[in-house]
């Protein structure tokens, strides 16, 4: 009798461990399962999870990626600057201005923090903030990439609760983002 | 025949001789042969003749170089009368009624001879030669019957200051005069003693006894004397000019004569009235005098301007004066003083501008500070602090302009027009016109302002 009890308990533990492993390993598996995206006008390219849906945009929005459950999204925007900038030289000012623009355009935003370019990825400026959304508070991480007079913004959005979970995906997509050489010239 | 006039000859206020006009002409001049010797370079050898014509004393110029001057006018012939002061070089001839003068030595008024007697000298400059020579040399032109009346005196004998030498009066007369003077003195002393003796005790020691006692007892002036005038207001006989002014031959003094061209220039204190210019060859006395007067007036204007605190005007006036008459008065010194004042004033202004610049720089108004420094530098090129400050400030402005320009470019790039315009303006203010960064900022500014307006 006791042997049977022990066997049941072992099975339960194994199941819990399996569930835990699945939960932990799932994003990594998802990262591995990326698919490339190339802008139809050859302005940029990136990689996104296969499970995410890509939607070609219009106007300033070039592309929108949706997580299948709708808990996260990534939006790629493009702006033509009035004059070319040297991102390496002016990154500190771009940090300030991007922060200022968020404050101006989204007055209810808070917990804003910004930091400059990181060497291992093309992003010039990363700005992160929280804003009220339709289904509660949203956390946004914005990657701003400047090359000459081209400004690309990768807006990564999820609920505050889920943000930590999707953060690696956001970073993976941002790392894979490449401005087309032809475009930047 | 004589007239009721006597002519007092003075030099620098000191009476150096007295002459009484007679029918016989008296030569006046520098020559020892003259009856009245006036030993001065400004006096011609035979300068003038004093004589009587129709009962009037007349002075006639003998074509002298410097002439006879009455109230600033040169005359060839002067009818003498009380109040008519005739200038002969540095000498002044004062006709005076005989009755109005001080008591004359006995025999003077009665004498029909010319009298040239020295008075006690009032100043050290009084010349005894006038009387001594005139009095002692043999009078060859004298009427024979008059000659015995003039006792010859050795030429080397000096004139006695206390005992006037009177031509035609002998030793007895002189003794009589001295005796009369002694008696008069004793009488005065006695009178003083009597007054002091009879004065009430309460008044003792309150007044100066001799003066108070003598004055009331002084006999009233003769009825023939002219109406007493208040001191200094002598319309009939102008007050003698100050020695310095006379020495300078001030033409502003009535009857004054300009000095000889060779006369030394007076000190600055007296130069305000008249400063003689260097006489040009062939220039007439009148023209020279007028030119000197005009130059003196301009000199005074310049000096007054300097005293008023307007050194720039003083420099302008006096420099023009010196260009026309180099070495005139102390004009060169005054110009130097005025220039020093101008320089000091300029330095004061430059320092004030510099301080203003430093204040503005401290407040962060760099363009304003630069303008103040530049103003200080323009005001005083020898003031080195503005130059150093400008160099440092320009470097600072350049550095700030670069920072602002970078920000302006980013703001501009992101389409933040308002902020970009403000920043570009600052860049334009900070940099000089030819700076390429400023040119770029101005171009962007123009473009953005055009966009904003449209």
């Amino acid at each position: 009798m006791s042997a049977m009890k022990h066997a049941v308990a072992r099975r339960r533990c194994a199941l819990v461990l399996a569930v835990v492993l699945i939960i932990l390993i799932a994003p990594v598996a998802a990262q591995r399962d990326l698919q490339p995206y190339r802008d139809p006008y050859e302005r940029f390219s990136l990689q996104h999870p296969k499970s995410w849906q890509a939607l070609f945009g219009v106007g300033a929005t070039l592309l929108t990626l949706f997580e299948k459950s709708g808990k996260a999204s990534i939006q790629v925007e493009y702006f033509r600057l009035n004059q070319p900038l040297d991102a390496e030289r002016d990154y500190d000012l771009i940090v300030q201005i991007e922060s200022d623009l968020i404050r101006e355009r989204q007055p209810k935003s808070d917990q804003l923090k910004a930091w400059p370019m990181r060497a291992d990825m093309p992003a010039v400026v990363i700005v992160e903030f929280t804003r009220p959304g339709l289904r509660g508070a949203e956390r946004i991480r914005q990657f701003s990439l400047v090359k000459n007079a081209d400004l690309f913004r990768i807006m990564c959005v999820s609920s505050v609760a889920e943000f930590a979970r999707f953060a690696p995906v956001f970073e993976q997509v941002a790392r894979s983002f490449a401005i087309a050489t032809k475009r930047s010239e | 025949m004589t007239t009721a006039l006597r002519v007092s000859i003075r030099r620098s206020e000191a009476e150096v001789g007295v002459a009484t006009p007679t029918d016989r002409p008296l030569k006046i001049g520098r020559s020892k042969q003259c009856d009245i010797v006036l030993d001065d370079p400004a006096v011609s050898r035979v300068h003038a003749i004093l004589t009587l014509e129709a009962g009037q004393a007349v002075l006639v110029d003998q074509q002298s170089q410097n002439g006879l001057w009455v109230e600033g006018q040169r005359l060839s012939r002067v009818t003498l009368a009380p109040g008519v002061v005739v200038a002969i070089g540095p000498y002044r001839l004062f006709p005076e009624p005989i009755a109005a003068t001080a008591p004359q030595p006995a025999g003077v008024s009665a004498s029909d001879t010319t009298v040239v007697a020295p008075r006690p000298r009032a100043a050290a400059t009084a010349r005894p030669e006038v009387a001594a020579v005139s009095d002692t040399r043999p009078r060859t032109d004298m009427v024979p019957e008059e000659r015995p009346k003039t006792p010859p005196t050795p030429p080397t004998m000096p004139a006695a200051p206390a005992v006037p030498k009177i031509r035609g009066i002998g030793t007895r007369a002189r003794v009589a005069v001295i005796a009369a003077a002694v008696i008069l003195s004793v009488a005065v002393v006695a009178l003083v003693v009597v007054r002091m003796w009879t004065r009430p005790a309460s008044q003792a020691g309150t007044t100066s006894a001799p003066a108070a006692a003598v004055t009331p007892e002084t006999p009233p002036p003769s009825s023939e004397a002219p109406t007493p005038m208040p001191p200094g207001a002598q319309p009939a006989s102008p007050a003698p000019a100050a020695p310095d002014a006379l020495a300078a031959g001030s033409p502003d003094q009535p009857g004054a004569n300009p000095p000889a061209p060779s006369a030394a220039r007076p000190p600055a204190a007296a130069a305000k009235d008249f400063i003689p210019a260097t006489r040009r060859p062939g220039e007439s006395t009148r023209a020279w005098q007028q030119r000197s007067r005009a130059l003196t007036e301009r000199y005074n204007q310049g000096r007054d301007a300097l005293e008023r605190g307007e050194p720039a005007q003083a420099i302008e006036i006096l420099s023009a004066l010196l260009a026309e008459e180099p070495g005139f008065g102390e004009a060169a010194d005054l110009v130097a003083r005025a220039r020093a004042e101008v320089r000091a004033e300029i330095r004061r202004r430059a320092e004030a501008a510099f301080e203003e610049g430093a204040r503005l720089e401290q407040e962060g108004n760099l363009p304003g500070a630069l303008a103040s420094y530049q103003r200080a530098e323009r005001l005083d090129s020898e003031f080195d602090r503005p130059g150093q400050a400008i160099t440092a400030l320009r470097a600072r402005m350049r550095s700030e302009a670069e920072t602002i320009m970078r920000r302006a470019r980013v703001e501009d790039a992101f389409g933040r027009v308002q902020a970009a315009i403000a920043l570009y303006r600052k860049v334009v203010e900070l940099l000089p016109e030819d700076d390429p960064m400023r040119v770029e900022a101005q171009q962007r500014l123009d473009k953005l302002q055009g966009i904003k307006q449209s």
Side-chain angles (χ1 to χ4, degrees):
Chain A
M1 190 63 184
S2 61
M4 282 186 65
K5 284 183 181 174
H6 278 286
V8 171
R10 265 188 252 130
R11 283 174 192 167
R12 284 181 183 169
C13 286
L15 186 63
V16 170
L17 284 173
V19 169
V20 169
L21 283 172
I22 288 168
I23 291 170
L24 293 174
I25 294 169
V28 177
Q31 286 174 21
R32 287 176 183 168
D33 197 11
L34 295 173
Q35 101 174 24
Y37 174 84
R38 186 173 293 278
D39 177 60
Y41 298 98
E42 296 184 351
R43 291 170 291 195
F44 69 94
S45 66
L46 56 75
Q47 289 184 327
H48 64 86
K50 280 184 181 174
S51 59
W52 287 46
Q53 187 181 353
L55 186 63
F56 180 69
V58 292
T61 304
L62 305 182
L63 173 69
T64 305
L65 298 168
F66 297 99
E67 195 267 335
K68 58 184 177 184
S69 62
K71 290 181 178 176
S73 70
I74 296 175
Q75 199 172 32
V76 177
E77 295 176 345
Y78 170 78
F79 297 93
R80 181 73 181 171
L81 296 174
N82 287 335
Q83 57 176 296
L85 293 177
D86 182 347
E88 289 188 9
R89 186 190 66 189
D90 297 329
Y91 70 89
D92 55 333
L93 296 175
I94 296 171
V95 168
Q96 289 178 26
I97 289 178
E98 286 289 71
S99 302
D100 291 346
L101 285 170
I102 288 167
R103 287 192 191 95
E104 289 168 12
R105 291 173 185 172
Q106 304 192 48
K108 292 185 178 178
S109 63
D110 64 352
Q111 298 178 32
L112 187 146
K113 59 179 181 179
W115 61 95
M117 173 176 64
R118 280 157 51 172
D120 58 344
M121 60 185 298
V124 172
V125 168
I126 300 170
V127 184
E128 205 173 288
F129 60 98
T130 303
R131 71 183 179 193
L134 292 174
R135 289 184 292 180
E138 293 177 342
R139 187 72 179 167
I140 294 103
R141 180 174 289 176
Q142 175 185 303
F143 298 87
S144 300
L145 298 94
V146 174
K147 192 165 188 182
N148 295 329
D150 294 327
L151 168 63
F152 292 89
R153 287 191 185 120
I154 304 169
M155 306 279 292
C156 305
V157 184
S158 79
S159 65
V160 172
E162 301 280 349
F163 188 80
R165 183 183 155 204
F166 288 105
V169 178
F170 296 153
E171 191 157 325
Q172 186 73 25
V173 172
R175 280 175 190 276
S176 69
F177 190 90
I179 300 169
T181 308
K182 186 179 173 184
R183 175 70 210 168
S184 62
E185 290 170 353
Chain B
M1 178 183 175
T2 62
T3 178
L5 281 176
R6 62 191 284 276
V7 179
S8 170
I9 302 167
R10 300 178 191 175
R11 177 174 176 149
S12 302
E13 286 192 287
E15 188 174 77
V16 295
V18 178
T20 304
T22 66
D23 291 334
R24 190 186 65 78
L26 295 174
K27 289 181 183 174
I28 301 173
R30 194 177 74 242
S31 170
K32 304 292 183 190
Q33 306 303 317
C34 291
D35 301 295
I36 300 169
V37 179
L38 305 178
D39 188 14
D40 190 274
V43 179
S44 297
R45 278 174 295 187
V46 179
H47 200 105
I49 286 179
L50 177 63
T51 185
L52 276 178
E53 291 181 2
Q56 287 189 314
V58 176
L59 199 58
V60 182
D61 186 15
Q62 297 300 298
Q63 296 182 331
S64 62
Q65 185 179 354
N66 292 325
L68 304 174
W69 291 81
V70 177
E71 294 184 352
Q73 289 190 336
R74 182 172 179 162
L75 301 173
S76 60
R77 180 187 180 86
V78 181
T79 301
L80 298 179
V84 177
V85 182
V86 184
I88 298 177
Y91 295 93
R92 304 291 180 270
L93 276 58
F94 290 84
E96 297 168 346
I98 289 172
T101 59
Q104 296 289 323
V108 171
S109 59
S111 172
D112 201 23
T113 60
T114 300
V115 176
V116 180
R119 291 280 183 88
R121 280 179 283 175
T125 55
R127 296 171 59 254
E129 297 92 312
V130 176
V133 174
S134 299
D135 198 29
T136 56
R137 77 180 164 72
R139 296 272 311 277
T140 54
D141 56 342
M142 194 174 287
V143 182
E145 55 271 25
E146 292 177 345
R147 191 167 296 171
K149 295 180 181 178
T150 307
T153 309
T156 54
M157 183 183 290
V163 183
K165 285 186 176 182
I166 304 165
R167 181 171 293 148
I169 299 176
T171 307
R172 288 182 185 174
R174 275 189 257 166
V175 172
V177 168
I178 292 167
V182 170
I183 292 167
L184 188 62
S185 301
V186 170
V188 168
V189 171
L191 192 61
V192 168
V193 171
V194 169
R195 283 291 300 242
M196 288 182 70
W197 188 262
T198 56
R199 189 174 55 170
S202 60
Q203 293 180 9
T206 56
T207 57
S208 174
V214 171
T215 305
E217 302 299 329
T218 302
S222 168
S223 59
E224 294 177 21
T227 307
M229 302 295 287
Q234 300 179 10
S237 177
D244 284 344
L246 281 173
S250 168
D252 295 337
Q253 290 290 337
N257 188 32
S262 60
R265 285 192 171 141
K272 196 159 186 172
D273 297 328
F274 184 82
I275 303 173
T278 305
R279 194 164 184 173
R280 294 168 180 164
E283 185 178 28
S284 70
T285 302
R286 180 175 290 276
W288 166 75
Q289 182 197 15
Q290 288 175 347
R291 191 165 61 82
S292 297
R293 201 173 290 161
L295 289 171
T296 302
E297 190 176 340
R298 288 164 60 191
Y299 176 87
N300 288 336
Q301 286 174 357
R303 194 174 58 174
D304 291 347
L306 186 58
E307 287 170 359
R308 282 198 309 273
E310 297 172 1
Q313 191 183 358
I315 290 171
E316 186 181 345
I317 294 170
L318 294 171
S319 296
L321 177 67
L322 284 171
E324 189 177 327
E325 182 74 13
F328 187 80
E330 296 176 349
D333 292 341
L334 292 175
V335 167
R337 202 178 109 201
R339 284 190 174 140
E341 287 189 15
V342 167
R343 275 196 297 275
E345 177 61 22
I346 285 171
R347 177 56 62 92
R348 276 195 295 275
R349 289 184 189 174
E351 284 175 345
F354 179 81
E355 295 301 325
E356 175 74 4
R359 188 183 62 77
L360 291 172
E361 186 177 356
Q362 202 169 12
E363 291 173 358
N365 183 355
L366 303 190
L370 180 64
S372 291
Y373 288 149
Q374 287 173 332
R375 192 166 66 249
E377 191 176 47
R378 278 195 306 273
L379 280 169
D380 189 352
S381 59
E382 295 175 1
F383 189 27
D384 56 353
R385 291 178 70 192
Q388 296 166 358
I390 286 169
T391 304
L393 182 60
R394 279 200 189 282
R396 182 182 168 187
M397 291 171 79
R398 175 77 196 176
S399 173
E400 290 203 7
E402 284 174 357
T403 303
I404 295 170
M405 186 68 176
R406 197 162 71 89
R407 173 93 193 189
R409 282 198 192 107
V410 175
E411 297 276 5
D412 185 10
F414 278 80
R416 291 156 63 92
V417 175
Q418 198 76 24
I421 285 175
L423 293 167
Y424 281 135
R425 277 186 182 148
K426 284 187 180 175
V427 173
V428 168
E429 286 175 0
L430 288 171
L431 295 177
E433 285 186 9
D434 57 345
D435 191 290
M437 189 186 288
R438 176 183 163 145
V439 173
E440 182 194 343
Q442 187 65 58
Q443 287 171 350
R444 289 301 303 167
L445 187 60
D446 294 342
K447 188 171 182 179
L448 292 178
Q449 284 176 333
I451 292 168
K452 195 180 167 191
Q453 285 171 3
S454 63

